[in-house]
């Protein structure tokens, strides 16, 4: 892992109490301060952060096939075996279970599966084959699968979408993992989709950007 660099770099070392802190100043007053670290084998996905009123966590995948959850200060929380290298960013969301809400993560791996994991303890909730092979990160929206609208005040995600190297775009129910639909695009999908108000926007290897409605 490396620190970002820019055309302007000024290194500095300060002391807070008895602890030396090494920082990198980028673009004037912006300072990156080393707060914590966690040893993992080749972190390969963009980290996903989730914070509640009581705690927080950082989630990331590695080429060793493990999904890691660590506390902001670097303490390990749990790991989950995704059975293949993880290159896509985990997607944090809240699922509605009828009786309540549950914090969850969606992640893809080179095993070609879409995995849904409970965010507090790392327990598997469901999995689906999607031929994603770890390139396209999952995305969620609060859009109803039946009506393609967002319910006012509804904080729970309902639809998960992920693209595959076979050109198919898959939609799943966030709570149960049940398949909601699949559409075929003219080329492979390596990019991550963006969802908003019942629509999916995704790039395709045929050099087009597609906007699709969830109905």
């Amino acid at each position: 892992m490396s620190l970002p660099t820019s055309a302007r770099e000024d290194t500095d070392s300060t002391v807070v109490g008895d602890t030396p802190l090494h920082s990198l100043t980028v673009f004037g007053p912006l300072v990156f301060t080393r707060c914590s670290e966690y040893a993992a084998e080749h972190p390969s996905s963009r980290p996903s952060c989730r914070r509640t009123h009581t705690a927080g966590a950082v989630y990331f995948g590695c080429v060793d096939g493990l999904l890691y959850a660590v506390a902001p200060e670097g303490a390990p929380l749990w790991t989950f075996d995704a059975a293949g290298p993880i290159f896509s960013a985990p997607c944090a969301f809240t699922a509605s279970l009828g009786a309540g809400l549950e914090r969850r993560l969606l992640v893809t791996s080179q095993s070609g599966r879409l995995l849904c994991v409970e965010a507090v303890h790392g327990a598997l909730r469901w999995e689906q084959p999607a031929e994603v092979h770890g390139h396209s990160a999952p995305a969620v929206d609060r859009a109803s699968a039946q009506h393609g609208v967002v319910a006012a005040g509804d904080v729970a995600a309902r639809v998960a979408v992920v693209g595959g190297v076979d050109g198919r775009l898959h939609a799943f129910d966030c709570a149960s993992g049940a398949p909601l639909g699949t559409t075929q695009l003219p080329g492979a999908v390596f990019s991550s989709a963006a969802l908003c108000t019942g629509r999916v926007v995704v790039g395709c290897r045929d050099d087009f950007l597609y906007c699709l409605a969830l109905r």
Side-chain angles (χ1 to χ4, degrees):
M1 299 179 69
S2 64
L3 286 171
T5 60
S6 71
R8 175 179 177 180
E9 297 179 7
D10 299 299
T11 58
D12 187 22
S13 179
T14 59
V15 175
V16 178
D18 297 325
T19 305
L21 297 176
H22 300 283
S23 61
L24 176 68
T25 302
V26 182
F27 301 125
L30 179 63
V31 177
F32 290 91
T33 301
R34 184 173 178 174
C35 300
S36 61
E37 61 185 49
Y38 182 82
E41 183 179 348
H42 303 303
S44 50
S45 78
R46 178 179 63 83
S48 177
C49 301
R50 189 69 182 264
R51 183 162 185 85
T52 67
H53 64 285
T54 57
V58 178
Y59 309 97
F60 62 94
C62 289
V63 296
D64 60 4
L66 294 180
L67 176 65
Y68 291 82
V70 299
E73 66 274 13
L77 299 176
W78 52 261
T79 59
F80 175 83
D81 189 352
I86 300 171
F87 297 122
S88 65
C91 176
F93 70 100
T94 301
S96 175
L97 305 179
L101 302 174
E102 183 178 67
R103 288 181 291 142
R104 293 181 175 183
L105 299 166
L106 287 171
V107 67
T108 61
S109 79
Q110 292 291 320
S111 67
R113 297 179 298 161
L114 175 64
L115 304 154
C116 180
V117 180
E118 186 268 332
V120 177
H121 302 103
L124 179 66
R125 289 297 184 243
W126 54 263
E127 62 179 290
Q128 289 284 356
E131 291 300 322
V132 289
H133 298 296
H135 295 284
S136 176
V140 298
D141 192 17
R142 293 176 293 171
S144 164
Q146 289 75 32
H147 306 294
V149 297
V150 177
D154 183 8
V155 298
R158 300 191 182 195
V159 180
V161 173
V162 66
V165 295
D166 57 1
R168 289 187 294 175
L169 196 66
H170 305 269
F172 300 96
D173 181 90
C174 281
S176 66
L180 298 177
T182 300
T183 189
Q184 180 71 52
L185 296 180
V189 178
F190 291 106
S191 67
S192 303
L195 283 78
C196 183
T197 61
R199 295 183 183 271
V200 182
V201 180
V202 66
C204 181
R205 288 299 293 271
D206 69 341
D207 298 331
F208 280 89
L209 184 70
Y210 290 88
C211 180
L212 309 169
L214 293 173
R215 300 186 184 278

